Amino acid sequence: MTETARRQTVPVTRYLSSVICHLSFTHVAKVFPQKNLGQRARLRPSATSIKFIAMPSVQTERGDALAAAAGSAGKRAYVRSVFSEIAPRYDLLNHLLSFTVDRRWRRRAVAALRWERDPSGLYVDLCAGTMDVANELARKRAFRGTVLGTDFAEPMLRAGRDKIASRPVSPVVADAIALPVRTGTASGAIVAFGARNLADLDAGLAEACRVLRDGATFVILEFSIPRTPLLRSLYRFYFHRILPVLG
């Protein structure tokens, strides 16, 4: 991995791990002068040595990531920026984060929608990303409805457009807390690995409920920390030591 690629992946990995299990990583340090010297002072030889202090080169990025994970006012802009940047490799990251079992989880989540009750209905995929979930539903043989794949990071939707070719999926650039859907018209809604990224979780849940018909199903698929001590230790070791190397 080149140094440029490593610098690009650090904030992404840190943000994802901060949200999921609040891990921290070793920072690359750069050396900066303690104070700015005037031009004449810089050119004049000095008998005394200049004092230096070490500062992490990713300190600002780390601060932004931790603030976003804590639910700061800038979380929405930060999340959009991060996912727009990682869109080309998002699917790979998801497979790494879940040890590649995310495909099975998505199938089970789609099954939990109970879309068979209304195969011709409208289904909303919130935080659709590269539209794996939308594609999983739309490819069902008996499905005759429409999937609305919404995400506020347009590069994510573009990265997944090949998956939905000839599928009844409509990608829409929209925030999950302000869906372009009429009240009570959706037969179901689903969000996979996106609930943690909502700037306002309560508002996002309320918005999903707003668009749903009475009796419709809303499915949330999300990561969690294992309860078993051994698995929890392995999980944290994976996020702390292995995932940063993989990018």
Side-chain angles (χ1 to χ4, degrees):
M1 180 181 295
T2 65
E3 183 62 22
T4 301
R6 186 176 293 106
R7 285 198 300 269
Q8 291 175 344
T9 58
V10 165
V12 173
T13 305
R14 182 170 293 106
Y15 172 69
L16 292 173
S17 59
S18 297
V19 172
I20 298 169
C21 53
H22 304 285
L23 297 178
S24 59
F25 300 96
T26 304
H27 303 148
V28 179
K30 284 186 177 180
V31 178
F32 295 92
Q34 188 175 24
K35 59 181 180 179
N36 293 326
L37 302 177
Q39 181 178 7
R40 296 179 62 184
R42 289 200 301 271
L43 296 176
R44 186 175 62 247
S46 174
T48 60
S49 60
I50 300 175
K51 295 181 179 179
F52 290 83
I53 57 174
M55 295 181 65
S57 63
V58 294
Q59 186 64 42
T60 300
E61 295 165 343
R62 177 179 183 274
D64 291 344
L66 293 178
S72 70
K75 179 176 180 177
R76 183 178 185 276
Y78 183 82
V79 170
R80 174 185 284 176
S81 173
V82 166
F83 282 94
S84 294
E85 178 184 344
I86 68 171
R89 58 186 182 279
Y90 176 77
D91 289 338
L92 173 62
L93 284 173
N94 251 345
H95 300 332
L96 293 175
L97 286 168
S98 67
F99 295 97
T100 71
V101 298
D102 56 302
R103 297 183 179 93
R104 184 178 63 185
W105 292 345
R106 287 191 180 89
R107 288 194 296 269
R108 294 181 61 181
V110 168
L113 265 178
R114 296 186 292 177
W115 57 270
E116 297 90 345
R117 297 179 303 174
D118 187 9
S120 300
L122 170 66
Y123 291 84
V124 183
D125 181 11
L126 291 79
C127 309
T130 57
M131 294 180 286
D132 276 336
V133 169
N135 180 55
E136 180 65 30
L137 174 56
R139 65 190 289 269
K140 300 295 184 183
R141 181 173 300 178
F143 184 77
R144 300 186 301 275
T146 300
V147 182
L148 190 67
T150 66
D151 201 295
F152 68 177
E154 184 177 351
M156 292 287 285
L157 297 174
R158 290 186 177 277
R161 63 184 181 273
D162 291 341
K163 300 176 186 177
I164 60 169
S166 302
R167 305 282 191 199
V169 178
S170 297
V172 177
V173 180
D175 198 323
I177 62 176
L179 296 171
V181 181
R182 292 197 304 273
T183 300
T185 57
S187 299
I190 185 170
V191 55
F193 311 119
R196 66 182 182 271
N197 298 320
L198 295 178
D200 188 330
L201 180 58
D202 290 338
L205 296 178
E207 180 68 353
C209 291
R210 177 189 68 79
V211 305
L212 291 175
R213 295 177 175 176
D214 291 340
T217 302
F218 179 32
V219 179
I220 299 175
L221 174 61
E222 194 53 87
F223 287 113
S224 63
I225 298 177
R227 296 181 179 181
T228 305
L230 177 59
L231 291 179
R232 184 165 59 245
S233 297
L234 293 173
Y235 181 88
R236 288 175 171 167
F237 176 80
Y238 178 71
F239 274 93
H240 195 138
R241 301 295 183 185
I242 299 178
L243 189 59
V245 176
L246 297 176

